[in-house]
Amino acid sequence: MRPMIAGPLNSLVWWPLTLALWVLIILVALVAWRWHRRRRVPDGVPVAHTGVLRRLPAYVSAVRARRRRLLTAAIAIGIAALSSAALAGRPADVHTESEQLATRDIVLCLDVSGSMISYDSEILEKFASLVENFQGERIALVMWNNTARTLFPLTDDYVLVHEELEHAAQVLDVDVSGLVVGSQATRDVLDLLAGTTALQGTSASLIGDGLANCVLSFDLTDTERSRSIILATDNDLQGEPVYQLSEAMTFAQERDIRVIGLFSDTAESADTGELREAFKRDVEGHGGLVFDTTSPEAVDAIIDEVTSQQAAELDADPTVIITDRPERLAPFLLVPLLIGLGLLGWWRL
């Protein structure tokens, strides 16, 4: 397939022709000016023996100053003319895009049950730190309690990702015990967590169901891509889930999805150590890894783990993209032109 080129012709073809045209125009203007000056009848009266006047220091100084001013104006207008020629030649960036792209999809899978809310703001900040180190990967965020809500689907719009993560971290940076019914902070938390507690009853933190929903968040299932889930939870199951964690891990493994666990010690349960060991056993037993949210090395380790995975490649023809950049030379045209014309007008008057 022929490469696609933005713009009618390559700027490298037009630039020398445009410059030559400007040089020709300037030369014609100079010749016309000289010819007109020679034919002009002098208005003054000839006076003899004025050579001594032209040798006076004051006269010599004034002539030199005038020449310097005219030279400055000429240089400014010359720069403007050259910039105009270069601008007419369409300065542009040229790069080739190939759709043989490294393709990684990452779903941030966040437990927002009651025992985790006080810790979720810090976890979201860790997620934001992770995203800052990604380039081109698609990111999604799924929050869950007894049901799941997708805050944003897989996207490579990192501006949106950062805005959503920062907003969620800000909303959840509250003291849950101090929330007052009807307050703005309470309404913000309820709006953010809407859809994560849709089931009736007292069940909460259904870890296996939350992970299964994160597995189902991946699209393009018929395309070979690197897929990862970063699962943040305290593993404190409350209720009877459809999927046990080990079953959800098997579900992810069958779809070639790597699960990286972030265990949060919420101190809500006396058997935190047992919960961590059970979480580690289920995740690592299915090819995943587990880190503690309090570990300062967790972010770097997760980044290394995600980026070390083999990325898939998509076959496609390369595309040549030419992006016009007139803003690079526009100041060099406008500023010297205005300076030159201003100086000429001032000095002539």
Side-chain angles (χ1 to χ4, degrees):
M1 182 180 294
R2 180 179 299 175
M4 296 175 61
I5 300 180
L9 289 174
N10 195 316
S11 60
L12 296 178
V13 176
W14 284 104
W15 198 94
L17 297 178
T18 307
L19 180 59
L21 178 61
W22 272 101
V23 171
L24 180 61
I25 292 173
I26 293 172
L27 290 176
V28 171
L30 287 174
V31 171
W33 176 72
R34 296 278 295 182
W35 178 78
H36 175 72
R37 186 177 181 184
R38 286 182 179 180
R39 294 195 57 184
R40 188 177 60 182
V41 178
D43 298 328
V45 177
V47 178
H49 309 296
T50 58
V52 65
L53 296 176
R54 291 194 295 270
R55 290 193 295 271
L56 292 176
Y59 180 86
V60 172
S61 177
V63 170
R64 288 178 177 173
R66 180 179 177 83
R67 288 175 177 172
R68 285 195 297 268
R69 292 193 293 266
L70 290 175
L71 179 61
T72 302
I75 291 174
I77 293 177
I79 293 174
L82 292 176
S83 300
S84 178
L87 189 61
R90 295 182 59 199
D93 284 339
V94 181
H95 67 279
T96 302
E97 289 187 354
S98 174
E99 293 187 11
Q100 284 190 331
L101 302 175
T103 53
R104 297 186 179 94
D105 293 341
I106 303 164
V107 171
L108 308 175
C109 194
L110 181 62
D111 182 351
V112 291
S113 59
S115 60
M116 281 287 294
I117 290 180
S118 299
Y119 304 87
D120 281 335
S121 179
E122 181 181 350
I123 294 173
L124 286 164
E125 291 176 357
K126 287 186 179 294
F127 284 167
S129 299
L130 288 170
V131 172
E132 289 176 357
N133 291 272
F134 293 146
Q135 294 182 352
E137 289 87 350
R138 296 195 304 162
I139 313 294
L141 174 60
V142 177
M143 303 183 302
W144 49 270
N145 186 359
N146 61 29
T147 55
R149 175 196 176 183
T150 300
L151 189 61
F152 54 87
L154 286 167
T155 179
D156 58 1
D157 183 350
Y158 285 6
V159 174
L160 179 145
V161 171
H162 278 289
E163 288 178 352
E164 292 292 343
L165 290 176
E166 291 174 0
H167 173 70
Q170 181 179 0
V171 170
L172 295 180
D173 187 16
V174 295
D175 180 7
V176 178
S177 61
L179 289 176
V180 178
V181 176
S183 67
Q184 184 61 49
T186 302
R187 289 197 298 270
D188 290 342
V189 171
L190 293 177
D191 288 343
L192 181 65
L193 302 184
T196 63
T197 54
L199 295 180
Q200 298 295 324
T202 58
S203 63
S205 193
L206 304 183
I207 298 96
D209 291 354
L211 177 56
N213 277 285
C214 293
V215 171
L216 294 173
S217 297
F218 291 97
D219 57 5
L220 304 176
T221 55
D222 57 344
T223 304
E224 183 181 356
R225 303 174 72 88
S226 298
R227 296 178 171 89
S228 302
I229 292 176
I230 302 176
L231 173 64
T233 181
D234 60 357
N235 200 34
D236 188 10
L237 175 64
Q238 301 291 329
E240 188 63 30
V242 176
Y243 284 87
Q244 296 295 330
L245 178 57
S246 60
E247 296 172 335
M249 286 296 304
T250 300
F251 184 38
Q253 193 174 34
E254 290 173 348
R255 297 191 172 207
D256 294 324
I257 299 172
R258 185 74 180 276
V259 178
I260 301 172
L262 266 177
F263 181 78
S264 179
D265 184 357
T266 60
E268 294 290 333
S269 175
D271 54 354
T272 300
E274 295 180 7
L275 293 176
R276 185 187 189 283
E277 289 304 314
F279 183 67
K280 184 175 181 180
R281 181 174 59 253
D282 288 333
V283 174
E284 293 184 348
H286 291 81
L289 292 175
V290 173
F291 300 94
D292 290 326
T293 56
T294 55
S295 172
E297 295 85 14
V299 170
D300 291 337
I302 292 173
I303 292 170
D304 291 341
E305 175 62 24
V306 170
T307 56
S308 67
Q309 295 186 51
Q310 181 65 36
E313 288 190 347
L314 302 178
D315 293 328
D317 295 319
T319 302
V320 178
I321 304 297
I322 300 179
T323 305
D324 289 333
R325 298 295 185 188
E327 69 277 5
R328 292 178 178 172
L329 293 177
F332 295 98
L333 168 63
L334 296 176
V335 174
L337 183 61
L338 294 175
I339 291 175
L341 293 177
L343 291 177
L344 282 177
W346 179 46
W347 290 326
R348 293 296 293 178
L349 295 174

